[in-house]
């Protein structure tokens, strides 16, 4: 048995492409004391049987950056290491066989252009010229990706391993990690048959085994292995190394040349989870039993697409396991539950194309304490505990595998693993005709249908079936009033003698305010980027309440706990489930609420930004005069057990003036008309308050300063080169969703970060990030002609740095 050192600076567990890439990139950052341990042999498990597809197309800018990095890395890896990788770049083609898919592909072309990824719409005949064996009788159009490639996964992994060794890393095969050692909430090393190796950093790159390994130390890694199928034919005429990869997503298939043969792979609509009781201990280069009946529908459609496929034999029917995550995006970063423990797993069949970029990003995260840019889309911290339960995971991955090639409809909702978290008002909301969506496990009302209207989604790229219902809710909030169930919002209690000091240090705005006031603020990182976007209410001298969005609750809770100093006397608790939360918003809100409330609701007694304890219909509540929709209104915190009483009373009082229940689609369209930002979309850890248009929230000179202040100081008083801008399409028909390119005088200068239809503004409205390249004053920043690319159409747009709706904010302060 090989001997191991007693200590290593960083231990990487897992010798697939992700583990080897992580070790390789750590050496590029100057780390030499790296130990990679592989339970069997390098590439065993999943890497060895991957199809080897490498493409830059991704759904967010930063993930596209990682994929582009991977392509560039693989292109030069053989020359660097002397190890062949088989990497070539014959390009790839995606075809559309119906108008909806064609619009999706065209929208993707626009999105990718804003990310700097080459993609070109081509005709069916042009696609056939590039892929001559393809039947294009039903093809509406296609997109050509000239830089896409393919590689040999085993050879590429070996090249990364060689590069890691050349950089000083030690790689040991056939060395099982039997236990991860921990003490006082952090890793201290690993135990193996060759003894204990101590380390402050352990990296879980174990693929299908990552969930089991995580559970052994209390870390949630929500992934599940599924059976994944492809066939390889006998040698086939027309197959040559420069043949592009071809994807027919409407029929769940991809086609790739493989040494003169054709490889046909599938992402079938309903997947087959595997090894529900854990991966067998001796599994290495294993294959799973054939299931030709399961694959047959894919093959039948593939023969129609490539008729010559029906005239050759099948040399290999392959079924091998791959891991898929709870939400279809991979899992990267430091485990929130255990310091020093990092994870890179759950790659949803894109591990090869993600391998270079993911390894690079994780290496920077480990060494520098932060990712190289915002990676919240794949950050392990995004998950909630319920997502790691088998009862949730098994149905969800059965669905999510197929969604990789299904239509990526706007507002698409998962059908599986629903009903996990319910508002105290759920039954009332459901009986009122709610059309539900799900965020972080919460069932949330996205709209309310009138009697006779369908309450389920009918998806399209145009106005979906809920459009008019949401428009009614939107107009009610602007003209009379709307009632929102905001119970899913996160509520974090911060108490103790040092609560104010902690929150003032973390927040860029001033938190040392009078009790009974609300502050809107951002929490920044050391680089001055926005880590959270919250309101803070001072309830008493040493008692505060932080309110944040549903999806960000755990992120913000953990961030605040990390920022607390050991010597500080402060209690931080998630109290979200203790309270329901109602948002009563609109010009008639005061008229509705006043007869029910025990407090004076006049502007003089209850100004904007105030928070008061009072009773509504005899129930003790806390009401805050704050809004996310740009109207007079109150957010009302109610003990969960008494929420129904308050809800019923408000609805009854509002009936004479036309109060409507309103959902989250209306909230989104309302907030976009008012240009209110949404963390994770419009603002991220990559934007500063000045770039986000939130400079008014920065209390530069408050005593003690705040985290991120030093990073912001050099830019104080200097116009930013990047800004968040509001746009309104001049044509009232097209819709904005997200990632549409923004053009200024014909040049791409940014992308839409969130969009919705502005029913009061009379067109699609969106927020977008625009980069002028150099510090630019506001007037010059908006000079020129703006257009938004919507599925290949350039639509003129009005641009503004001030809200297009109620720019002076008079309605919220009335």
């Amino acid at each position: 048995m090989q001997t191991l050192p007693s200590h290593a600076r960083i231990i990487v567990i897992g010798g697939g492409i992700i583990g080897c890439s992580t070790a390789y990139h750590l050496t590029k950052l100057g780390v030499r004391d790296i130990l990679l341990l592989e339970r069997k042999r390098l590439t065993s498990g999943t890497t060895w049987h991957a199809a080897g597809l490498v493409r830059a197309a991704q759904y967010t800018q930063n993930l596209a950056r990682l994929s582009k990095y991977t392509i560039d890395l693989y292109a030069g890896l053989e020359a660097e290491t002397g190890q062949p990788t088989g990497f070539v770049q014959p390009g790839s083609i995606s075809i559309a066989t119906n108008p909806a898919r064609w619009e999706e592909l065209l929208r993707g072309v626009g999105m990718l252009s804003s990310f700097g990824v080459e993609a070109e719409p081509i005709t069916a005949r042009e696609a056939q010229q590039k892929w001559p064996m393809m039947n294009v009788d039903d093809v509406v159009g296609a997109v050509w990706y000239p830089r896409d490639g393919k590689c040999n996964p085993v050879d590429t992994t070996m090249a990364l391993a060689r590069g890691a060794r050349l950089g000083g890393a030690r790689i040991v095969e056939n060395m099982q990690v039997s236990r991860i050692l921990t003490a006082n909430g952090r890793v201290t090393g690993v135990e193996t048959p060759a003894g204990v190796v101590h380390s402050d950093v352990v990296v879980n790159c174990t693929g299908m085994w990552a969930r089991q390994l995580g559970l052994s130390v209390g870390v949630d890694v929500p992934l599940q292995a599924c059976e994944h199928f492809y066939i390889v034919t006998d040698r086939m005429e027309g197959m040559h190394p420069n043949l592009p990869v071809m994807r027919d997503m409407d029929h769940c298939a991809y086609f790739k040349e493989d040494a003169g043969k054709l490889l046909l792979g599938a992402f079938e609509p309903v997947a087959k989870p595997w090894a529900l009781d854990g991966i067998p201990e001796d599994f290495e280069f294993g294959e799973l039993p054939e299931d030709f009946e399961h694959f047959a529908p894919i093959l039948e459609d593939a023969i129609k697409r490539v008729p010559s496929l029906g005239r050759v034999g099948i040399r290999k029917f392959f079924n091998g396991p791959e891991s898929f995550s709870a939400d279809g995006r991979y899992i990267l970063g430091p485990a929130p539950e255990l310091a020093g423990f990092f994870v890179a797993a759950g790659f949803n069949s894109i591990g090869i194309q993600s391998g270079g970029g993911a390894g690079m990003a994780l290496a920077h995260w480990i060494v520098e304490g932060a990712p190289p840019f915002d990676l919240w889309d794949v950050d392990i911290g995004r998950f909630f505990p319920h997502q790691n339960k088998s009862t949730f995971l098994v149905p969800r991955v059965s669905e999510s595998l197929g969604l990789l090639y299904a239509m990526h409809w706007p507002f698409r909702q998962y059908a599986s693993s629903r009903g996990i978290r319910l508002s105290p008002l759920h039954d009332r909301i459901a009986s009122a005709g709610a059309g539900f969506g799900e965020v972080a496990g919460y069932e949330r009302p996205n709209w309310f249908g009138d009697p006779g209207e369908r309450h389920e989604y009918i998806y399209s790229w145009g106005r979906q079936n809920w459009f008019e219902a949401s428009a009614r809710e939107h107009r009610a909030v602007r003209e009379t009033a709307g009632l929102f169930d905001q119970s899913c919002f996160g509520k974090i209690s911060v108490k103790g003698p040092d609560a104010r000091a902690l929150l003032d240090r973390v927040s860029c705005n001033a938190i040392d305010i009078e009790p009974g006031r609300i502050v809107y603020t951002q929490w920044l990182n050391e680089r001055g980027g926005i880590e959270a976007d919250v309101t803070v209410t001072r309830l008493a001298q040493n008692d505060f309440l932080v309110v944040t969005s549903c999806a960000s609750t755990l992120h913000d809770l953990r961030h605040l706990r990390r920022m607390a100093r050991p010597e500080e006397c402060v209690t931080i608790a998630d109290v979200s489930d203790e309270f329901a939360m109602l948002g009563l918003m609109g010009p008639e809100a005061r008229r509705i609420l006043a007869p029910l409330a025990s407090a004076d609701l006049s502007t003089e007694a209850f100004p904007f930004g105030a928070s008061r304890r009072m009773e509504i219909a005899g129930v003790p509540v806390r009401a805050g005069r704050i809004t996310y929709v740009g109207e007079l209104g109150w957010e009302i915190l109610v003990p969960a057990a008494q929420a129904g009483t308050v809800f019923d009373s408000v609805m009854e009082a509002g009936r004479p003036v036309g109060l409507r229940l309103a959902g989250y689609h209306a909230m989104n369209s309302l907030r976009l008309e008012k240009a209110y930002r949404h963390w994770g979309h419009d603002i991220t850890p990559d934007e500063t308050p000045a770039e986000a248009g939130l400079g008014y929230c920065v209390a530069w000179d408050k005593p003690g300063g705040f985290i991120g202040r030093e990073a912001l100081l050099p830019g104080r008083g200097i116009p930013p080169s990047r800004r968040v801008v509001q746009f309104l399409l001049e044509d009232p028909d097209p819709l904005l969703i997200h990632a549409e390119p923004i053009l200024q005088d014909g040049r791409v200068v940014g992308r839409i970060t969130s969009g919705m239809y502005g029913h009061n503004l009379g067109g699609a409205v969106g927020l977008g990030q625009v980069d002028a390249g150099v510090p630019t004053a506001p007037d010059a920043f908006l000079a020129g002609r703006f257009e938004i690319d919507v599925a290949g159409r350039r639509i003129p747009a009005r641009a503004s740095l001030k809200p297009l709706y109620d720019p002076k904010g008079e309605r919220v302060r009335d």
Side-chain angles (χ1 to χ4, degrees), residues 469-782:
S470 189
R472 293 192 295 264
E473 298 160 24
H474 181 113
R475 294 190 185 102
V477 173
R478 292 284 186 244
E479 297 166 9
T480 54
L483 185 65
F484 297 89
D485 179 10
Q486 298 176 223
S487 300
C488 66
F489 276 41
K491 305 115 188 162
I492 302 170
S493 169
V494 188
K495 294 182 179 181
D498 295 312
R500 194 277 307 162
L502 169 63
L503 286 168
D504 228 4
R505 186 172 69 251
V506 170
S507 304
C508 63
N509 212 337
I511 304 301
D512 194 5
I513 53 174
E514 291 296 316
R517 297 294 298 172
I518 305 169
V519 174
Y520 171 53
T521 187
Q522 291 71 48
W523 296 347
L524 309 183
N525 55 40
E526 295 288 352
R527 303 186 305 275
I530 300 171
E531 286 288 346
D533 185 63
V534 303
T535 61
V536 179
T537 302
R538 193 168 199 173
L539 308 177
Q541 191 67 21
N542 296 321
D543 190 357
F544 296 81
L545 181 70
V546 176
V547 175
T548 186
S549 70
C550 174
S552 302
T553 304
L554 277 183
H555 171 275
D556 297 353
L557 179 71
R558 290 161 174 166
H559 179 79
L560 192 59
R561 285 174 173 167
R562 284 195 302 269
M563 295 302 104
R565 295 169 178 166
E567 68 275 12
E568 288 180 320
C569 183
V570 60
T571 301
I572 303 167
D574 182 359
V575 296
S576 301
D577 293 340
E578 296 180 21
F579 299 96
M581 184 166 155
L582 292 171
L584 178 62
M585 302 290 158
E588 297 289 346
R590 182 182 286 116
R591 179 179 169 188
I592 294 168
L593 196 59
L596 305 173
S598 62
D600 182 351
L601 302 184
S602 67
T603 296
E604 294 73 22
F606 207 138
F608 182 75
S611 173
R612 301 281 188 268
R613 288 198 63 82
M614 62 184 187
E615 291 184 357
I616 296 178
V619 176
V621 304
R622 176 169 285 277
R625 191 163 163 204
I626 196 77
T627 180
Y628 193 49
V629 297
E631 298 293 340
L632 167 71
W634 282 266
E635 290 182 349
I636 305 165
L637 281 170
V638 190
Q642 297 169 286
T645 299
V646 175
F647 176 86
D648 293 343
S649 299
V650 173
M651 288 297 295
E652 181 64 26
R655 188 169 290 112
V657 299
L659 174 67
R660 269 192 178 273
L661 285 172
Y664 282 84
H665 287 333
M667 181 179 285
N668 201 25
S669 59
L670 290 159
R671 70 97 181 171
L672 279 166
E673 283 193 331
K674 196 66 176 71
Y676 288 153
R677 279 60 166 155
H678 185 282
W679 189 86
H681 291 89
D682 312 307
I683 51 177
T684 74
D686 289 342
E687 282 75 52
T688 67
E691 293 168 338
L694 298 172
Y696 64 91
C697 292
V698 179
W700 288 101
D701 300 320
K702 67 176 178 176
F706 55 89
I707 294 169
R709 182 178 184 275
E710 297 305 312
L712 298 181
L713 277 175
R716 186 177 183 181
I718 300 174
S721 60
R722 291 194 304 152
R723 295 179 187 264
V724 173
V725 180
Q726 187 183 32
F727 293 93
L728 175 66
L729 296 187
E730 294 181 6
D731 183 338
D733 291 330
L735 300 181
L736 294 176
I737 300 167
H738 74 94
E740 294 90 350
I742 300 166
L743 298 97
Q744 186 177 29
D745 296 329
R747 182 174 64 91
V748 175
V749 294
R751 69 191 188 283
I752 294 295
T753 51
S754 55
M756 214 64 179
Y757 198 85
H759 299 284
N760 279 74
L761 293 177
V765 62
L767 293 176
Q769 294 179 349
V770 177
D771 193 342
V774 295
T776 305
D779 290 346
F781 199 92
L782 296 180

Side-chain angles (χ1 to χ4, degrees), residues 298-615:
I298 307 295
L299 181 58
E300 291 172 9
D301 286 334
I303 291 173
K304 295 175 185 177
R305 179 65 55 218
V306 184
S308 56
L309 173 59
R311 299 190 291 271
V312 297
I314 297 177
R315 177 169 296 190
K316 178 70 175 178
F317 184 105
F318 185 83
N319 180 9
E322 293 196 30
S323 58
F324 292 82
S325 70
D327 61 2
R329 290 172 277 146
Y330 56 84
I331 305 170
L332 198 70
E337 305 93 336
L338 184 63
F341 190 68
F342 289 78
V343 178
F347 280 84
N348 304 283
S349 202
I350 59 168
I352 305 303
Q353 79 174 47
S354 305
M360 177 274 291
L362 190 61
H364 280 277
W365 216 329
I366 293 167
V367 173
E368 298 165 2
F373 38 76
D374 173 43
L375 289 174
W376 178 243
D377 275 345
V378 294
D379 190 330
I380 188 173
R382 73 188 185 274
F383 290 114
F384 286 73
H386 72 269
Q387 293 173 293
N388 199 39
K389 297 183 183 300
S390 294
T391 51
F392 177 94
L393 269 173
V394 173
R396 178 56 62 89
V397 298
S398 301
E399 178 185 8
S400 64
L401 184 152
L403 291 179
L404 293 173
Y405 272 20
M407 285 295 302
H408 299 90
W409 297 116
F411 310 104
R412 180 151 196 166
Q413 302 292 323
Y414 281 106
S416 61
S417 300
R418 294 291 296 268
I420 305 296
R421 305 171 74 188
L422 304 179
S423 159
L425 298 166
H426 179 82
D427 290 346
R428 285 173 168 82
I429 295 295
S431 65
F436 284 101
E438 179 262 329
V439 173
Y442 254 112
E443 296 295 324
R444 310 197 312 174
N446 281 343
W447 83 94
F448 290 86
D450 280 352
E453 291 182 334
R454 185 170 176 175
H455 302 158
E456 295 80 31
Y457 280 90
I458 302 174
Y459 296 113
S460 74
W461 289 101
R463 287 161 169 72
Q464 296 185 7
N465 61 304
W466 48 265
F467 184 87
E468 289 302 327
S470 189
R472 293 192 295 264
E473 298 160 24
H474 181 113
R475 294 190 185 102
V477 173
R478 292 284 186 244
E479 297 166 9
T480 54
L483 185 65
F484 297 89
D485 179 10
Q486 298 176 223
S487 300
C488 66
F489 276 41
K491 305 115 188 162
I492 302 170
S493 169
V494 188
K495 294 182 179 181
D498 295 312
R500 194 277 307 162
L502 169 63
L503 286 168
D504 228 4
R505 186 172 69 251
V506 170
S507 304
C508 63
N509 212 337
I511 304 301
D512 194 5
I513 53 174
E514 291 296 316
R517 297 294 298 172
I518 305 169
V519 174
Y520 171 53
T521 187
Q522 291 71 48
W523 296 347
L524 309 183
N525 55 40
E526 295 288 352
R527 303 186 305 275
I530 300 171
E531 286 288 346
D533 185 63
V534 303
T535 61
V536 179
T537 302
R538 193 168 199 173
L539 308 177
Q541 191 67 21
N542 296 321
D543 190 357
F544 296 81
L545 181 70
V546 176
V547 175
T548 186
S549 70
C550 174
S552 302
T553 304
L554 277 183
H555 171 275
D556 297 353
L557 179 71
R558 290 161 174 166
H559 179 79
L560 192 59
R561 285 174 173 167
R562 284 195 302 269
M563 295 302 104
R565 295 169 178 166
E567 68 275 12
E568 288 180 320
C569 183
V570 60
T571 301
I572 303 167
D574 182 359
V575 296
S576 301
D577 293 340
E578 296 180 21
F579 299 96
M581 184 166 155
L582 292 171
L584 178 62
M585 302 290 158
E588 297 289 346
R590 182 182 286 116
R591 179 179 169 188
I592 294 168
L593 196 59
L596 305 173
S598 62
D600 182 351
L601 302 184
S602 67
T603 296
E604 294 73 22
F606 207 138
F608 182 75
S611 173
R612 301 281 188 268
R613 288 198 63 82
M614 62 184 187
E615 291 184 357

Side-chain angles (χ1 to χ4, degrees), residues 88-101:
V88 293
Q89 291 178 272
S92 76
I93 302 166
S94 290
I95 64 171
T97 62
N98 57 70
R101 179 71 74 179

Side-chain angles (χ1 to χ4, degrees), residues 41-110:
R41 285 173 287 172
L42 296 183
T43 77
S44 63
T46 296
T47 296
W48 72 276
H49 65 70
L53 307 183
V54 183
R55 65 188 313 223
Q58 289 284 352
Y59 53 86
T60 69
Q61 181 183 36
N62 287 335
L63 294 188
R65 290 170 70 180
L66 295 185
S67 290
K68 287 168 63 180
Y69 174 88
T70 298
I71 289 174
D72 293 339
L73 173 69
Y74 291 174
L77 196 57
E78 181 174 340
E80 176 191 345
T81 65
Q83 165 68 44
T85 62
F87 180 70
V88 293
Q89 291 178 272
S92 76
I93 302 166
S94 290
I95 64 171
T97 62
N98 57 70
R101 179 71 74 179
W102 184 227
E103 175 151 357
E104 176 182 286
L105 290 179
L106 289 176
R107 283 180 172 269
V109 169

Side-chain angles (χ1 to χ4, degrees), residues 71-242:
I71 289 174
D72 293 339
L73 173 69
Y74 291 174
L77 196 57
E78 181 174 340
E80 176 191 345
T81 65
Q83 165 68 44
T85 62
F87 180 70
V88 293
Q89 291 178 272
S92 76
I93 302 166
S94 290
I95 64 171
T97 62
N98 57 70
R101 179 71 74 179
W102 184 227
E103 175 151 357
E104 176 182 286
L105 290 179
L106 289 176
R107 283 180 172 269
V109 169
M111 175 187 71
L112 292 170
S113 73
S114 72
F115 299 165
V117 175
E118 297 177 56
E120 175 190 352
I122 59 176
T123 66
R125 292 302 168 193
E126 289 171 327
Q128 190 178 50
Q129 290 171 2
K130 295 179 183 296
W131 225 95
M133 294 74 64
M134 173 171 45
N135 172 16
V136 296
D137 289 349
D138 61 342
V139 174
V140 176
V143 173
W144 166 242
Y145 308 91
R147 292 202 66 213
D148 283 3
K150 57 184 181 178
C151 70
N152 182 306
V154 172
D155 289 345
T156 303
T157 303
M158 294 305 181
L160 289 166
R162 178 175 291 183
R165 287 187 177 105
L166 291 172
R170 182 180 175 190
I171 297 176
V172 180
E173 296 180 272
N174 296 303
M175 187 61 66
Q176 173 80 38
V177 172
S178 53
R179 188 160 66 100
I180 296 173
L181 306 178
T182 67
N184 300 317
R186 68 166 304 116
V187 296
T188 60
V190 301
E191 186 178 276
T192 76
V196 169
V197 184
H198 296 283
S199 180
D200 292 331
V201 176
V202 174
V203 190
N204 179 358
C205 299
T206 59
M208 298 181 293
W209 290 269
R211 179 171 179 265
Q212 295 170 238
L213 188 62
L215 285 172
S216 72
V217 287
V219 171
D220 289 331
V221 187
L223 58 80
Q224 171 63 50
C226 289
E227 300 184 28
H228 193 51
F229 302 87
Y230 61 75
I231 64 168
V232 180
T233 69
D234 291 332
R235 293 192 69 83
M236 183 171 166
E237 186 176 350
M239 294 295 116
H240 57 84
N242 292 322

